[in-house]
């Protein structure tokens, strides 16, 4: 049992590596640390630019790719939103940086497949998913997440998005309790079902089997058919 060295501020996100015995943690200041589960001290620390504005809109996000060979960080720098890609085996800076000029706040959540990155963004008119080719850094598709005409989404809610472990499928949860699944290559909506009575706050695919969990205050297990 280890107690890992704490951040100075509240930890806002943790992501486990699918490849190595390590995980990423992020705090409110945007500091990203990489820990090995076998020891209490951080192996690396990444200090993002000082965050400005509403902290709920600026909180840094970090996730590993499906193969664990890359991790991505979505952060703000001088009121601009950036997506940065890092090699976890290197102590150097990002090997690629992408300016997301269409947005004024950090993504609610993000997920990486082997080739693409999907990010969930909240705009003045809608919440949308943006699929980005991580090799060419171009936008492949934008898919709107309909929240319902009479539903106001509070700042405390984050739209959760996850790539399936195999295939181009992306799942996202809405504030109205709906689960939506798209084909990220064609942007076709394959499933739109109300599965929870409260905002859907968590989605996770099983990395090996055709299973998924979703959660609001209740946890639901789903099997593919």
């Amino acid at each position: 049992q280890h107690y890992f060295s704490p951040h100075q501020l509240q930890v806002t996100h943790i992501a486990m590596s699918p490849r190595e015995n390590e995980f990423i943690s992020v705090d409110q200041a945007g500091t990203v640390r990489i820990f090995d589960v076998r020891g209490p001290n951080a192996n690396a620390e990444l200090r993002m630019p000082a965050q400005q504005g509403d902290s709920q809109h600026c909180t840094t996000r970090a996730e590993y790719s499906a193969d664990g060979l890359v991790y991505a960080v979505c952060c703000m720098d001088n009121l601009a939103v950036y997506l940065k890609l890092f090699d976890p085996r290197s102590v150097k800076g990002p090997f690629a940086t992408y300016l997301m000029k269409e947005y004024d706040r950090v993504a609610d959540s993000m997920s990486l497949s082997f080739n693409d990155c999907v990010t969930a963004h909240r705009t003045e008119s809608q919440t949308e998913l943006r699929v980005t080719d991580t090799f060419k850094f171009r936008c492949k598709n934008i898919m709107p997440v309909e929240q319902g005409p009479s539903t106001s989404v509070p700042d405390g809610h984050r739209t959760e998005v996850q790539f399936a472990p195999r295939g181009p499928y992306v799942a996202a949860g809405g504030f109205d309790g709906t689960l939506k699944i798209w084909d990220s290559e064609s942007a076709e909506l394959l499933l739109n079902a109300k599965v929870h009575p409260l905002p859907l706050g968590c989605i996770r695919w099983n990395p090996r089997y055709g299973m998924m969990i979703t959660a609001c205050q209740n946890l639901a297990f789903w099997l593919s058919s």
Side-chain angles (χ1 to χ4, degrees):
Q1 182 178 4
H2 294 295
Y3 291 91
F4 297 95
S5 300
H7 290 264
Q8 294 181 351
L9 297 176
Q10 179 182 356
V11 173
T12 58
H13 186 70
I14 293 176
M16 298 296 300
S17 170
R19 183 181 181 89
E20 304 292 345
N21 294 317
E22 64 182 29
F23 67 91
I24 289 175
S25 62
V26 186
D27 68 16
Q28 283 183 327
T31 302
V32 180
R33 289 182 176 179
I34 300 179
F35 289 91
D36 190 305
V37 298
R38 295 165 291 189
N41 299 316
N43 292 342
E45 180 177 286
L46 174 64
R47 292 186 178 272
M48 307 310 295
Q51 302 190 35
Q52 304 176 32
D54 188 340
S55 61
Q56 288 185 336
H57 296 182
C58 304
T59 303
T60 298
R61 313 290 183 203
E63 291 289 349
Y64 282 98
S65 63
D67 55 11
L69 296 177
V70 174
Y71 70 90
V73 175
C74 186
C75 64
M76 293 198 74
D77 186 0
N78 293 323
L79 301 181
V81 179
Y82 289 90
L83 180 65
K84 301 184 179 185
L85 302 182
F86 296 82
D87 183 344
R89 299 162 295 181
S90 172
V91 296
K92 298 180 180 179
F95 63 82
T97 299
Y98 178 53
L99 172 62
M100 309 187 84
K101 59 184 178 181
E102 297 86 357
Y103 305 108
D104 61 359
R105 56 190 290 171
V106 173
D108 275 7
S109 62
M110 63 180 177
S111 179
L112 284 80
S113 67
F114 296 103
N115 301 317
D116 298 330
C117 175
V118 59
T119 46
H121 297 273
R122 203 179 306 179
T123 68
E124 293 183 359
S125 59
Q126 66 180 5
T127 300
E128 62 189 31
L129 306 183
R130 181 188 183 96
V131 181
T132 302
D133 185 318
T134 53
F135 288 100
K136 299 179 180 179
F137 261 14
R138 63 178 180 86
C139 177
K140 296 176 65 174
N141 277 310
I142 292 180
M143 300 168 294
V145 181
E146 300 295 342
Q147 302 287 0
S150 61
T151 304
S152 59
V153 181
D155 282 336
H157 175 74
R158 293 191 303 110
T159 299
E160 185 82 4
V161 61
Q162 276 277 302
F163 259 117
R166 298 178 182 85
Y169 307 113
V170 172
F175 180 69
D176 55 359
T178 59
L179 171 66
K180 302 175 189 295
I181 298 178
W182 290 265
D183 183 326
S184 65
E185 295 293 337
S186 65
E188 179 185 0
L189 181 62
L190 304 175
L191 176 71
N192 183 12
K194 185 171 179 61
V195 296
H196 288 281
L198 297 174
L200 203 158
C202 180
I203 298 173
R204 289 293 183 272
W205 298 85
N206 186 299
R208 296 182 61 186
Y209 304 105
M211 300 173 61
M212 174 193 289
I213 60 169
T214 58
C216 58
Q217 290 183 343
N218 302 316
L219 184 67
F221 291 83
W222 304 93
L223 298 174
S224 62
S225 59

